[in-house]
Amino acid sequence: MKNIRILCLLAVVLLSGQLWGQTSERKKVDGVAAVVGDYLILESDIDKAFIDMKQQEIDTKDITRCQMLGKLMEDKLYAHQAVQDSVKLSDSEVRDAVNQRIEFLTAQLGGDIKKLMEFYKKDDEQAMRDELFDTFKVSMLAQRMKSQIVKDVEVTPEEVRTFFNNIPVEDRPHFGTELEIAQIVVNPVAPKSEVQKVIDQLNDIKEDVEKNGASFSTKAILYSQDRGTGGQVLTFNRNSSFDKAFKDVAFTLQEGEISKPFESSFGWHIIQMDKIRGKEVSVRHILLMPVIPQAALDEAKEKIEKIRSRIVNKELTFDEAARSLSDEKETRNDGGQLINPEDLSTRFELTRIEPSLYARISDLKDNEVSIPFLDEDRTGKKTYKIYQITNRIDEHQADFVKDYVKIQDLALKEKQLKAITKWMKEHIEKTYVAVNGEYRKCQFTNNWLKK
């Protein structure tokens, strides 16, 4: 049976080779560039990969078609082996991912799905969804296979030391200036009348969905003030870094059920349970923020200015003020210490700090307290903040003790890369691979031509 499949795929490749000599437009659309296991890679797949990267604002001017084909072949090999190894991925998970992408892009295009269909050059929505389903399935299988390959890869302290000592002194990395930053947050308090308006609106939306069959997803796109995830499906478990109140409510719901309005640290929500898969849930939500009048903003500013004065006058340290007076639960217990989302450390490399934060703290001297800043997050929530640089690590060459966490991460990545390279080499050898036409002239990183 396997030989029959290979012969069939080979016939397709040979046929494609015949088409190669026909019109350039036809070969671009219909040509088979390569075959990996059970997967064909068409010329149009390479074109779509470039379009997708540009859509994500990734610069592609230095990426060749050979390099893009090599990347697609890697993904197909991962996906092919994932199927062979029975790596779990349900169709519902893929559909959820497709729905999230379509809802997000449709919202970006003003809610007009026809514009999205034009972008993907499809005449009907189902054809677009089918194509995205196939693309996402390969991508998600590939990601899970890669995770499987490296999941047990670890580095011991001795391996980290050996990795570091094997780097010639003159080649050891230099780390830029890093800062440890703390903040104190004061939230303006919305009047009870504005809070009640939000609760009433959420109840009206809930009733319209439950009694009149309105679409929760559409309501979320239209009304949710969470501009980053409006209408999208959010998937998480109890250990995920979501707001505790949000998780607590979500895990009380049954599939299809909509929660009552409740408050989190971001504002007021209702949640609709989409899927329950063991310890993991997928939900949609609508977030609304009560209107904050100018009087409440003025009151919050006055409060944070008084806190700043007490710190400057040495009545309180910044750490003490953050622990007792900051309204931000996530940082309060650590004295306001910010955590770098990239590596979960307390250090921020100066040149990579988010621009708006950089503008606020770049001129601060050590232990100086900033003036109050009015901040607005992606949900539209307004808060007042003051900052302090609690530690400054000047630019320096890597030091094993001071930079152990960074060096450990580099050592782990190198070991993971070696594991992936070894896996790739072994599986290319035992998997059916065919590279067609002009792509046989490519200088691939992997041995796709099996020379």
Side-chain angles (χ1 to χ4, degrees):
M1 193 71 183
K2 183 177 180 181
N3 290 335
I4 293 173
R5 176 181 60 78
I6 291 174
L7 287 171
C8 290
L9 291 172
L10 185 58
V12 173
V13 173
L14 290 172
L15 177 60
S16 174
Q18 293 170 3
L19 291 173
W20 210 282
Q22 298 175 20
T23 67
S24 60
E25 285 304 311
R26 172 132 189 183
K27 74 180 182 184
K28 284 271 185 181
V29 174
D30 299 327
V32 175
V35 182
V36 179
D38 293 324
Y39 294 99
L40 300 178
I41 301 173
L42 304 177
E43 281 279 349
S44 56
D45 292 329
I46 301 174
D47 296 332
K48 289 169 187 171
F50 275 108
I51 291 171
D52 190 54
M53 291 181 72
K54 289 176 182 176
Q55 181 191 12
Q56 298 176 55
E57 299 183 351
I58 298 172
D59 188 0
T60 61
K61 70 176 184 294
D62 295 326
I63 301 175
T64 66
R65 290 184 74 82
C66 285
Q67 290 170 328
M68 186 64 80
L69 175 59
K71 173 62 170 64
L72 292 175
M73 291 177 76
E74 288 179 13
D75 287 346
K76 303 294 188 186
L77 182 61
Y78 289 130
H80 171 78
Q81 195 58 44
V83 173
Q84 306 304 308
D85 292 352
S86 300
V87 172
K88 292 182 179 179
L89 177 66
S90 67
D91 285 354
S92 64
E93 290 177 86
V94 182
R95 280 193 292 271
D96 284 348
V98 170
N99 290 338
Q100 287 182 42
R101 173 64 69 88
I102 289 176
E103 287 164 5
F104 174 75
L105 293 177
T106 302
Q108 298 293 100
L109 294 169
D112 189 350
I113 198 165
K114 289 183 179 179
K115 289 183 180 178
L116 190 61
M117 287 158 54
E118 289 173 11
F119 177 82
Y120 282 104
K121 298 179 180 178
K122 296 296 176 185
D123 295 328
D124 64 89
E125 182 179 341
Q126 191 56 50
M128 177 181 68
R129 287 182 177 276
D130 290 343
E131 180 175 296
L132 285 173
F133 181 92
D134 293 338
T135 302
F136 272 60
K137 187 168 186 177
V138 170
S139 176
M140 293 170 74
L141 279 171
Q143 191 56 51
R144 293 197 180 185
M145 191 70 243
K146 288 176 72 173
S147 297
Q148 288 275 84
I149 297 166
V150 301
K151 72 174 183 178
D152 296 324
V153 177
E154 297 178 345
V155 285
T156 64
E158 187 55 38
E159 286 176 315
V160 178
R161 183 179 295 278
T162 300
F163 168 81
F164 182 73
N165 289 337
N166 284 341
I167 305 174
V169 173
E170 63 274 15
D171 293 335
R172 288 176 182 169
H174 279 75
F175 297 125
T177 300
E178 294 176 308
L179 306 177
E180 292 185 328
I181 307 163
Q183 69 179 16
I184 293 173
V185 179
V186 171
N187 296 326
V189 179
K192 290 183 179 179
S193 59
E194 294 297 332
V195 172
Q196 191 58 50
K197 286 180 185 178
V198 163
I199 294 172
D200 291 343
Q201 186 179 357
L202 289 171
N203 277 323
D204 289 343
I205 293 172
K206 172 179 164 70
E207 184 176 9
D208 195 22
V209 174
E210 291 178 336
K211 294 187 177 180
N212 302 323
S215 166
F216 190 96
S217 175
T218 300
K219 293 282 189 182
I221 292 171
L222 292 173
Y223 299 112
S224 181
Q225 291 176 264
D226 186 349
R227 294 190 286 265
T229 64
Q232 295 185 50
V233 174
L234 305 176
T235 300
F236 54 93
N237 58 44
R238 286 194 178 275
N239 294 322
S240 301
S241 57
F242 277 58
D243 181 274
K244 183 178 183 300
F246 191 91
K247 287 191 294 186
D248 287 347
V249 172
F251 280 95
T252 66
L253 301 174
Q254 300 299 314
E255 287 191 8
E257 186 179 1
I258 301 174
S259 73
K260 295 178 180 178
F262 68 95
E263 186 178 19
S264 77
S265 59
F266 297 98
W268 284 83
H269 309 255
I270 52 173
I271 295 176
Q272 182 184 54
M273 178 59 67
D274 186 65
K275 293 284 183 185
I276 300 174
R277 289 184 292 272
K279 296 181 180 179
E280 192 173 75
V281 297
S282 296
V283 306
R284 285 185 171 87
H285 82 116
I286 296 172
L287 168 69
L288 295 180
M289 304 286 298
V291 173
I292 304 293
Q294 187 59 47
L297 287 171
D298 293 342
E299 187 177 333
K301 185 178 181 182
E302 183 180 352
K303 179 179 177 181
I304 204 164
E305 286 175 340
K306 288 180 179 178
I307 293 171
R308 182 180 184 276
S309 294
R310 293 182 67 188
I311 297 169
V312 170
N313 294 331
K314 301 189 183 306
E315 295 177 34
L316 288 171
T317 65
F318 197 98
D319 181 275
E320 290 169 341
R323 292 177 187 275
S324 60
L325 300 172
S326 180
D327 289 334
E328 187 172 66
K329 296 177 183 177
E330 292 80 7
T331 60
R332 186 167 59 201
N333 293 334
D334 292 320
Q337 192 73 59
L338 294 178
I339 301 298
N340 188 336
E342 291 186 5
D343 59 10
L344 302 181
S345 72
T346 57
R347 294 184 180 185
F348 292 80
E349 190 172 334
L350 186 60
T351 57
R352 298 179 64 182
I353 293 176
E354 193 269 326
S356 63
L357 177 59
Y358 178 87
R360 296 174 180 184
I361 55 88
S362 58
D363 294 333
L364 284 179
K365 298 180 177 63
D366 293 352
N367 296 315
E368 182 182 359
V369 183
S370 77
I371 62 172
F373 291 96
L374 179 61
D375 190 60
E376 183 173 343
D377 66 15
R378 62 182 173 81
T379 69
K381 180 180 179 180
K382 294 180 179 179
T383 57
Y384 274 99
K385 296 180 178 180
I386 54 175
Y387 301 92
Q388 184 182 66
I389 294 173
T390 57
N391 191 20
R392 185 186 302 268
I393 302 95
D394 292 327
E395 182 180 352
H396 63 284
Q397 189 176 42
D399 178 275
F400 184 76
V401 176
K402 292 180 181 177
D403 303 303
Y404 181 82
V405 172
K406 290 180 181 292
I407 296 164
Q408 181 186 45
D409 184 56
L410 292 173
L412 177 61
K413 286 177 179 175
E414 183 189 62
K415 193 171 180 180
Q416 288 175 335
L417 181 59
K418 287 179 178 178
I420 287 174
T421 302
K422 180 174 182 288
W423 183 95
M424 187 69 64
K425 182 178 179 180
E426 291 173 353
H427 286 77
I428 287 174
E429 285 300 317
K430 65 183 184 181
T431 303
Y432 175 73
V433 178
V435 180
N436 199 20
E438 64 184 17
Y439 293 107
R440 294 191 63 80
K441 299 175 185 177
C442 291
Q443 299 295 314
F444 293 113
T445 303
N446 295 304
N447 185 28
W448 294 114
L449 300 173
K450 299 190 178 183
K451 293 181 179 179

